[in-house]
Amino acid sequence: MATPPHLSPKLVVGVGSVALALVAAWATMATSGYPTNHALRSWPAVLVRRLRRELPRGDHLTAAWAAIAIWSVLVSGLHFGGVYYDVYTVLPWWDLLTHAMGGLGVAALLGVTFRGPTLRSPFWVVPAVLAIGAGFEVYEFVFKTFWHHWTLGFYVVDTIIDLVVNTSGAGLFAVAATLYRRRSAVDERGSVGARSD
């Protein structure tokens, strides 16, 4: 009788992903900018409150939420379309694309939900996305079957690449947020100088 895939040496991916999710969650909470005034379990409620308050405003915040929603639909369409039409096996880079876009989207969602801390120090979203990505790898290990026929080496490499690409998307968001903060600070100093003249 064959060993079930979950109890094979591939278990190292599931256990490793759990351990990485926990370490990355700890690193997130220890990183400057982490929204300490909100408990982790309250994040969904914070998101819903922000959406209720900011969507009807019709300003740049409404546009940011709309952009995140459109991005989410696009990433979901690319992923589920890729699964349905078997694009993942035909175009190996498709997986990289969807993971990078997903990491960027999750980072944007976190960053806009917790704008104040993120504008002060946006790099907290990088380990947060790593923790979420590792959690998703645990979900795939437990509930999906596509990896059952993979070798242990291929599965480990695929998981590491997925996590690196997710985190790279988050890093791109953090860099963009840093540049936005610097540009806003320069614009603000310029407008203060113009008013004092």
Side-chain angles (χ1 to χ4, degrees), residues 51-78:
L51 288 171
R52 284 184 180 158
R53 194 170 54 239
E54 295 169 357
L55 277 178
R57 289 172 48 163
D59 61 2
H60 68 284
L61 288 175
T62 302
W65 288 117
I68 291 171
I70 291 167
W71 189 262
S72 299
V73 169
L74 177 63
V75 173
S76 297
L78 290 172

Side-chain angles (χ1 to χ4, degrees), residues 15-28 127-128 130-136 138 163:
V15 172
S17 294
V18 169
L20 182 59
L22 294 173
V23 169
W26 171 82
T28 301
L130 178 60
I132 293 166
F136 188 76
V138 172
L163 293 171

